[in-house]
Amino acid sequence: MLLTPETSLQFVKGIGPRIAQTLLEKRIATIEDLLYHLPFRYEDRLRPQAIEELTPGEMASLIGEVRGMALLRTRRMPIFEMTVGQGLGKVKCMWFHGTYMKDRFKAGQWVALYGKVEASRGSNSFKMIQPQVEVLPGGHDDEESKLLEVGRIAPVYETLGNKLASRWQRRVIWRVLEELKGRIPETLPQALCRRLQLPSREDALRWAHFPEAGTSMSQLQSWTTPAQKRLIFEELFYLELGLELKRKKFRQRQGIPFETNDAVRAALRQVLPFHPTKAQKTALGEIVADMRAPEPMRRLLQGDVGSGKTIVALQAMLVAIENGYQAALMAPTEILATQHFLGARKLLERSQQRYKVVLLTGSLDEDRKRANRGMIARGEAQLVIGTHALIEESVDFAKLGLVVVDEQHRFGVLQRFRLMKKPNAGEPDVLVMTATPIPRTLALSLYGDLDLSVLDELPPGRTPILTRQVSDEMADEVWKQVREQVRLGRQAYVVYPVIEGAKEDQPELDFAAGEPEQEAGAAPARKAEGKAGSSGSLFEKPSLPSLKAATDMYHELKAGALKGLRLGLLHGRMDADEKEIIMRRFQRRDLDVLIATTVIEVGVDVPNATMMVIEHAERFGLAQMHQLRGRVGRGTARSYCILMTGGKISPQAGERLAAMVRTQNGFELAELDLRLRGPGEFFGTRQAGIPDFRVANLVRDRDLLELAKVESASFVLAAAEVTEEEKSKVWSRLREAWQRRYGLVDAG
Ligand code: ADP
Ligand code: MG
């Protein structure tokens, strides 16, 4: 049968149903999928490194001859040792628990090694612990493997399943490329490729797998060869094109043209408790302009913690309400919803109007929920504040005009849109707020379907927060400082990574049932460290030392270091009423110190709180710590953030802590976070609805993302250089790509 890129892999020679199934589990179903499964590194087997030139501490890839080997049975474990030589130089390799390696090698064989070089005794002598190793073809092997394995730059692939190693993949991919020669269709307009000097798709795929002799190794490893760039660009171009189109399609829908007459403006002024910052004014201006327009609004309001997004949103909601519509605000947690509810009611009391504000969260009791749903359906509720319950509990709005989604990174893209599928003459406007300080260029490119407003200044009169990192041996000092703040009439937070200790070192992540999945408390940091550690020694078993936990420490501090102060405990496993009561008491200054888990991370606003103590700070991610620190420094008084560490601090954790001490700039921290964690974890791919890429990497490929955005916009606009035939090819490719990759085709 004639293979095409769409052919299912089970029809490829050498791939039976079993292997096809393994590949499918890796989301590799067709030949095309396989071709886009690119090597993650390359080995230069044409000009391999010489042993004499190795540098201890660096990663190296080299070729040598097996000189000898032995399986050592030590008391702790069997260790497989093998000496690989090259002229006078030699490298001793060791694999722990290496019994399985024992029969894989023969003296005289040639092998390719990749791993970290360590010094060893003797001249020209080095060590490698657990290097990756491949046996190279020798005399009896067929021509094809010689062609693919030696005397060239060889691609190295992630092992698929636990069997399909690089060597197997090289062969299959090579054969497929040979079979499809001249038949891999181009997916980008020719003129575009020519202008940007991108190789054809077929060439790009071939060279990304099997680089031509002479290709620069450093370009290959940094993903900047023309072939690699072409494939990255292609993926990003289709992402941007999809976003561009969604946005355009959206503009064609009918929205609600809100009016802003004198009465509306007066209503907005009445609720303002302070002079808005310039940034707030500009943002509100942009939002209101959108709301007045006949098309529906889709806007992202981005502002660092404490930049004052809430009041901007509230004013926008008032515009809708004053026009006779309802406004809804969706928050990611019950605490936050409750706080918004209380805050909004308080601000609205300043007005002569009597606005009806209603709360709807999952854990309200059924009667109250029913009553509130009734008010919403009859249109009596003008401002509705809630959690996911708003979209989950079949709420019918009488006349929904504006939806505000707070802290958007907690919601999936699709969910964002579901809320709006309610019957209405015009489509409601949507404002999404986020404190995730996504670097602006990235935000623009990723949320290409949203317009962007940025609050890039903090309200006046804030004094910078003093941040210190101390080990928990200094705890007494810290508690003394807490007492001092309380004596001055201030309040403090003390945050722990887990709710309860010992029994279950569970990170704080739960909320009442029905709430969206929370970012795990300490999990990201833990995970990141796990990864970093895995390249190191195998001796280390990941063991989690017992963590100080909120509940235990609440009792301990109450009876000890903070005796006499009014302490409150807040965590995600409390029910909504309890949480609300505690939050209210803290807000009213009936409590001095709030002992909490990360439930307070997002949005909690108590300007009188001046001290944030984070215990086990080494466990927290940067974004989290930044959010937590953002809970203080909200008033004019000097505020403090103490990062207490107890236990081992990995290099990564050290870097996070140092950054926290160094800067308070959310964008700077986000850049670092993005670098440390990678985009997948940074954005929380699944939650944020940002697609997994096959080739692209948002940190590494930012320039190409920008380029893709520009090119996709001009493609949609005019594309005079493109023929009709090419255009329709691009459109069908787009539909297919979005359907398959992102499943977002009909999302908006
Ligand atoms: P965030 O952007 O993190 O949601 P908030 O809206 O909660 O920030 O605002 C943070 C704090 O700053 C609140 O106490 C709010 O009342 C106050 N605030 C907001 N804007 C101003 C302003 N223009 N002048 C003074 N205080 C402000
Ligand atoms: Mg907020």
Side-chain angles (χ1 to χ4, degrees):
M1 97 185 248
L2 188 66
L3 300 184
T4 71
E6 290 81 42
T7 307
S8 166
L9 282 171
Q10 68 194 43
F11 301 115
V12 172
K13 225 171 81 194
I15 301 184
R18 276 256 298 286
I19 293 181
Q21 184 56 36
T22 305
L23 293 172
L24 198 60
E25 279 156 24
K26 294 276 173 188
R27 301 212 294 168
I28 302 175
T30 63
I31 288 186
E32 180 182 313
D33 294 338
L34 185 67
L35 290 178
Y36 278 86
H37 170 72
L38 295 182
F40 71 95
R41 66 179 178 86
Y42 300 84
E43 284 182 5
D44 190 350
R45 296 182 185 169
L46 188 59
R47 280 164 307 173
Q49 260 176 293
I51 289 184
E52 295 86 63
E53 284 158 18
L54 295 180
T55 316
E58 283 182 5
M59 301 298 288
S61 135
L62 58 99
I63 289 180
E65 188 188 8
V66 174
R67 296 262 167 89
M69 66 203 109
L71 185 67
L72 310 177
R73 301 201 176 270
T74 70
R75 267 240 300 279
R76 293 183 61 176
M77 68 182 86
I79 298 176
F80 182 68
E81 273 191 7
M82 178 161 86
T83 306
V84 173
Q86 199 192 70
L88 292 177
K90 59 179 192 276
V91 175
K92 184 193 267 182
C93 306
M94 285 175 168
W95 289 270
F96 305 120
H97 297 287
T99 317
Y100 69 102
M101 303 282 286
K102 170 166 79 72
D103 300 318
R104 285 176 49 181
F105 306 96
K106 286 199 234 16
Q109 259 175 347
W110 284 77
V111 293
L113 296 172
Y114 177 76
K116 191 166 162 195
V117 178
E118 292 176 31
S120 185
R121 260 174 304 176
S123 61
N124 283 338
S125 186
F126 299 91
K127 256 194 326 205
M128 277 188 175
I129 310 285
Q130 315 258 118
Q132 293 174 24
V133 59
E134 263 186 56
V135 177
L136 297 177
H140 333 282
D141 286 283
D142 55 88
E143 287 309 311
E144 190 182 53
S145 37
K146 281 184 203 159
L147 174 74
L148 298 182
E149 309 294 331
V150 288
R152 65 154 49 250
I153 297 175
V156 180
Y157 301 91
E158 172 202 339
T159 299
L160 295 169
N162 47 22
K163 282 235 187 61
L164 308 176
S166 278
R167 195 157 172 176
W168 182 88
Q169 295 181 54
R170 276 177 212 131
R171 236 174 226 260
V172 173
I173 291 169
W174 174 265
R175 285 184 190 161
V176 164
L177 281 168
E178 288 293 293
E179 277 235 27
L180 291 180
K181 210 170 219 167
R183 293 192 296 115
I184 296 181
E186 180 53 71
T187 48
L188 292 174
Q190 296 239 327
L192 182 66
C193 288
R194 225 174 302 127
R195 190 157 41 77
L196 300 179
Q197 300 190 328
L198 303 173
S200 76
R201 183 157 171 252
E202 178 162 341
D203 285 344
L205 283 168
R206 176 177 294 271
W207 295 333
H209 287 284
F210 300 99
E212 291 180 298
T215 308
S216 142
M217 280 304 288
S218 68
Q219 273 189 16
L220 274 172
Q221 311 288 24
S222 62
W223 286 79
T224 52
T225 65
Q228 292 164 324
K229 276 164 77 172
R230 136 90 215 204
L231 298 174
I232 296 164
F233 176 81
E234 173 188 324
E235 184 165 42
L236 296 174
F237 177 79
Y238 277 97
L239 169 76
E240 291 301 330
L241 195 60
L243 290 171
E244 188 69 34
L245 226 61
K246 250 172 89 171
R247 175 195 183 101
K248 202 173 149 195
K249 208 166 103 194
F250 212 83
R251 294 289 125 91
Q252 289 158 359
R253 296 206 203 161
Q254 194 202 334
I256 307 164
F258 293 102
E259 277 185 47
T260 48
N261 52 29
D262 289 345
V264 175
R265 274 195 289 273
L268 296 196
R269 264 196 309 276
Q270 279 179 13
V271 301
L272 256 188
F274 34 61
H275 288 294
T277 62
K278 206 161 133 252
Q280 284 171 320
K281 274 193 215 153
T282 309
L284 185 67
E286 289 164 352
I287 292 165
V288 171
D290 279 6
M291 291 181 73
R292 289 165 54 96
E295 307 87 43
M297 167 172 79
R298 290 294 177 271
R299 188 169 278 278
L300 180 68
L301 176 60
Q302 189 195 6
D304 206 349
V305 278
S307 58
K309 295 183 289 295
T310 315
I311 189 77
V312 175
L314 189 75
Q315 288 189 304
M317 293 193 286
L318 272 185
V319 172
I321 294 169
E322 286 293 323
N323 275 264
Y325 283 83
Q326 293 169 298
L329 187 148
M330 188 158 84
T333 67
E334 300 225 341
I335 291 186
L336 203 49
T338 307
Q339 180 185 281
H340 276 312
F341 172 69
L342 299 173
R345 261 203 336 208
K346 203 163 135 210
L347 281 174
L348 293 177
E349 272 166 18
R350 305 169 60 88
S351 165
Q352 282 130 30
Q353 308 283 330
R354 282 278 149 260
Y355 296 104
K356 182 70 190 160
V357 190
V358 158
L359 179 69
L360 195 79
T361 60
S363 62
L364 291 181
D365 64 52
E366 281 306 319
D367 289 347
R368 205 168 144 203
K369 261 196 257 184
R370 201 170 314 118
N372 289 356
R373 276 202 299 263
M375 279 191 284
I376 297 169
R378 290 191 299 275
E380 292 158 27
Q382 294 169 292
L383 179 53
V384 181
I385 297 178
T387 53
H388 255 216
L390 283 181
I391 42 179
E392 273 155 10
E393 311 221 353
S394 60
V395 185
D396 292 316
F397 284 84
K399 210 177 171 199
L400 186 57
L402 171 68
V403 178
V404 178
V405 182
D406 193 9
E407 307 297 352
Q408 156 277 338
H409 63 292
R410 301 275 171 120
F411 291 111
V413 166
L414 291 173
Q415 285 164 326
R416 231 160 69 198
F417 288 94
R418 249 169 57 206
L419 189 63
M420 299 173 299
K421 303 248 153 67
K422 308 277 176 193
N424 231 7
E427 183 123 18
D429 285 338
V430 173
L431 178 67
V432 177
M433 301 197 285
T434 179
T436 306
I438 305 164
R440 189 181 171 101
T441 53
L442 260 188
L444 274 172
S445 311
L446 278 177
Y447 298 98
D449 56 335
L450 302 178
D451 292 301
L452 182 65
S453 292
V454 180
L455 295 184
D456 53 7
E457 77 185 301
L458 294 179
R462 304 268 170 92
T463 39
I465 302 165
L466 258 182
T467 304
R468 275 201 308 150
Q469 181 198 334
V470 304
S471 112
D472 60 5
E473 284 147 33
M474 302 272 291
D476 287 348
E477 286 295 310
V478 174
W479 304 134
K480 224 166 92 188
Q481 208 185 334
V482 170
R483 299 190 79 100
E484 175 61 15
Q485 287 297 306
V486 172
R487 200 184 58 77
L488 294 170
R490 306 292 174 195
Q491 292 160 282
Y493 301 95
V494 185
V495 178
Y496 292 90
V498 294
I499 302 178
E500 281 169 70
K503 291 189 295 294
E504 20 114 51
D505 268 351
Q506 288 302 322
E508 164 77 299
L509 31 68
D510 55 331
F511 264 89
E515 288 275 328
E517 198 185 336
Q518 293 295 303
E519 227 166 49
R526 201 177 280 176
K527 206 162 156 202
E529 283 159 23
K531 252 190 228 145
S534 66
S535 62
S537 160
L538 280 200
F539 288 116
E540 276 176 10
K541 275 256 157 57
S543 82
L544 299 171
S546 176
L547 293 177
K548 282 190 258 179
T551 309
D552 307 341
M553 287 305 290
Y554 168 75
H555 294 296
E556 192 178 319
L557 291 171
K558 202 177 161 109
L562 299 182
K563 196 168 167 180
L565 305 190
R566 296 165 305 169
L567 266 49
L569 174 66
L570 188 73
H571 61 70
R573 223 174 286 154
M574 293 161 53
D575 69 37
D577 286 348
E578 281 180 281
K579 281 189 279 194
E580 190 180 324
I581 291 168
I582 295 286
M583 256 339 282
R584 251 194 243 234
R585 290 179 60 201
F586 192 65
Q587 234 143 14
R588 279 202 313 251
R589 290 208 210 177
D590 292 346
L591 294 174
D592 301 313
V593 182
L594 196 59
I595 314 285
T597 55
T598 52
V599 291
I600 61 156
E601 174 191 333
V602 187
V604 170
D605 182 35
V606 180
N608 189 53
T610 51
M611 191 153 177
M612 167 63 64
V613 180
I614 305 177
E615 287 230 54
H616 286 301
E618 75 279 1
R619 295 264 165 177
F620 289 83
L622 256 184
Q624 259 183 331
M625 281 193 278
H626 179 62
Q627 288 282 339
L628 286 169
R629 180 168 59 182
R631 299 310 109 213
V632 297
R634 306 197 137 222
T636 45
R638 154 82 66 217
S639 289
Y640 305 87
C641 174
I642 311 285
L643 307 171
M644 275 219 263
T645 56
K648 212 170 132 206
I649 303 175
S650 70
Q652 279 218 0
E655 218 175 316
R656 293 196 296 268
L657 294 166
M660 283 292 294
V661 172
R662 185 175 66 237
T663 178
Q664 214 175 309
N665 181 323
F667 287 85
E668 206 180 315
L669 291 171
E671 292 272 352
L672 180 67
D673 202 21
L674 198 55
R675 194 160 58 66
L676 289 177
R677 282 200 289 160
E681 288 208 22
F682 177 86
F683 291 113
T685 302
R686 242 176 354 120
Q687 286 184 32
I690 291 165
D692 275 325
F693 294 104
R694 299 203 273 201
V695 192
N697 171 322
L698 292 178
V699 182
R700 185 190 64 199
D701 305 324
R702 246 193 241 182
D703 292 351
L704 286 173
L705 185 66
E706 274 299 287
L707 183 65
K709 182 168 173 60
V710 172
E711 288 295 343
S712 68
S714 76
F715 180 86
V716 171
L717 264 184
E721 61 178 14
V722 182
T723 66
E724 283 307 315
E725 192 198 333
E726 276 188 320
K727 254 186 231 175
S728 69
K729 257 170 51 188
V730 167
W731 294 137
S732 67
R733 172 86 190 158
L734 177 72
R735 266 193 300 278
E736 182 196 301
W738 273 62
Q739 181 75 275
R740 264 199 85 195
R741 304 280 311 144
Y742 315 137
L744 288 176
V745 173
D746 292 314

